[in-house]
């Protein structure tokens, strides 16, 4: 199971483009051409990395071993 550096569980999302070339993220693999899977906390995070913006949580693309760092901060461990 993939995890963000802050501990949030990441789920697979597939990025695909509609006929107007607008990107969408789906929790299921579409039958049409798709990129993915991308492991992200939300569909919005998965889309942000494709649109070259910073996602809230880490996004991982195992297809090309790429990782986008999230804007979240890991929870500090206190003793």
């Amino acid at each position: 199971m993939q995890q963000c550096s802050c501990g949030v569980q990441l789920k697979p999302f597939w990025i695909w483009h509609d006929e107007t070339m607008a990107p969408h993220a789906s929790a299921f693999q579409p039958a049409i051409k798709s990129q993915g899977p991308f492991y992200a906390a939300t569909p919005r995070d998965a889309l942000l990395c494709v649109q070259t913006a910073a996602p809230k949580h880490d996004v991982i693309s195992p297809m090309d071993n790429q990782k986008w760092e999230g804007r979240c901060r890991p929870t500090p461990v206190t003793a």
Side-chain angles (χ1 to χ4, degrees):
M1 177 97 18
Q2 301 283 352
Q3 253 187 337
C4 178
S5 57
C6 73
V8 170
Q9 294 295 325
L10 304 179
K11 301 170 277 199
F13 291 97
W14 282 264
I15 307 298
W16 57 278
H17 298 273
D18 64 17
E19 57 275 347
T20 65
M21 296 308 292
H24 301 277
S26 298
F28 58 91
Q29 186 173 9
I32 59 174
K33 294 179 189 173
S34 67
Q35 298 173 312
F38 289 84
Y39 287 89
T42 65
R44 185 174 190 271
D45 281 349
L47 283 174
L48 285 176
C49 70
V50 173
Q51 297 169 346
T52 64
K56 182 175 180 182
H57 294 284
D58 294 349
V59 177
I60 300 168
S61 173
M63 300 283 286
D64 55 5
N65 284 335
Q66 192 166 5
K67 180 179 180 180
W68 292 266
E69 297 272 328
R71 294 175 280 126
C72 62
R73 296 275 194 264
T75 306
V77 176
T78 56

